[in-house]
Amino acid sequence: MVSILEQMASSRLLFTCTTVLLFLPLLFLSPSNAFSSYPNDDGRLKVSAVGSQKVNLSLYYDALCPSCATFIVKNLAGVFDKDLITIINLRLVPWGNSFVNKSNNAIVCQHGSEECVLNTLEACAIDVLHDVDKHYALIYCFEFLVIEGRHKDWQTCFDSLGLPKKPVLDCYISGNGTKLIQKYADETAHLNPPHTFAPWVVVNNQPLQEDYQNFVTHVCKAYKGNGAPEVCKSVGAKIN
């Protein structure tokens, strides 16, 4: 059973999941923690001067992929809990193993049409909820429901989190979500080397492949700036 508590103390979201024994605080971060990078035509990232010290962490995934949902809920959530988000440009790319049927130009998702809907909704959330903490919180909630087999209840996440539903639905209904998904498809197709499974995690253009669950160590190793979060100090021996 999953219960999602409303925003607490106006600055923190608390999620409780008794089935996975997860206790996750999500801080509402300032706009300075929003993306300071954007993809090149080849899918790689350009980084602005402001965020040049940050590490680019990209997740390529499918919305209904069980291992993807587990990674988002149980592993990736740690970047907020441990302040790792302060040194990361976090990008979520909901396309994964989907493909375009060339005969009719239709998008085909690995786990069926409902996954296509969720992929597009999550792409819209990323686009209209610019702060990473907000769109991640919504995607986290969606993926929580995926783990529980209740992904059709995705609309409940907006009220639970106090996030606006209309901008996301307008994006989806207008067809803009499909355009966003097509951009993610192109980015995923230009990964070098190509992804071979999902979730596919990339740190500063380097795919972690089977070691993706150890992404914290890779992020800390890649970070060259000052004031590394405490969690990087704890993995320092492993890095060395």
Side-chain angles (χ1 to χ4, degrees), residues 25-74:
L26 285 179
L27 297 178
F28 277 102
L29 304 174
S30 65
S32 64
N33 285 323
F35 298 144
S36 56
S37 60
Y38 54 97
N40 273 320
D41 292 337
D42 64 357
R44 292 175 178 268
L45 293 177
K46 292 180 180 178
V47 183
S48 70
V50 174
S52 60
Q53 294 295 323
K54 289 190 174 183
V55 177
N56 296 313
L57 174 63
S58 300
L59 169 64
Y60 298 83
Y61 70 102
D62 303 283
L64 289 184
C65 159
S67 57
C68 298
T70 299
F71 179 75
I72 289 171
V73 170
K74 295 184 66 177

Side-chain angles (χ1 to χ4, degrees), residues 92-181:
L92 304 174
V93 185
W95 176 261
N97 294 321
S98 303
F99 64 93
V100 177
N101 187 330
K102 294 183 179 180
S103 64
N104 58 7
N105 207 34
I107 295 174
V108 180
C109 296
Q110 183 177 12
H111 301 92
S113 60
E114 291 182 350
E115 180 170 76
C116 287
V117 171
L118 272 184
N119 281 347
T120 307
L121 285 168
E122 294 186 8
C124 283
I126 294 165
D127 187 61
V128 303
L129 302 174
H130 302 294
D131 290 347
V132 63
D133 57 296
K134 292 182 179 179
H135 65 245
Y136 174 79
L138 186 62
I139 291 171
Y140 174 96
C141 183
F142 286 176
E143 298 302 321
F144 230 47
L145 296 178
V146 169
I147 291 173
E148 288 237 308
R150 297 192 297 116
H151 61 272
K152 293 182 180 180
D153 295 335
W154 57 265
Q155 293 198 48
T156 63
C157 290
F158 292 95
D159 290 337
S160 298
L161 298 172
L163 293 173
K165 181 189 303 184
K166 188 177 186 300
V168 176
L169 295 186
D170 285 349
C171 168
Y172 180 84
I173 295 170
S174 69
N176 189 46
T178 300
K179 295 178 181 178
L180 295 169
I181 281 293

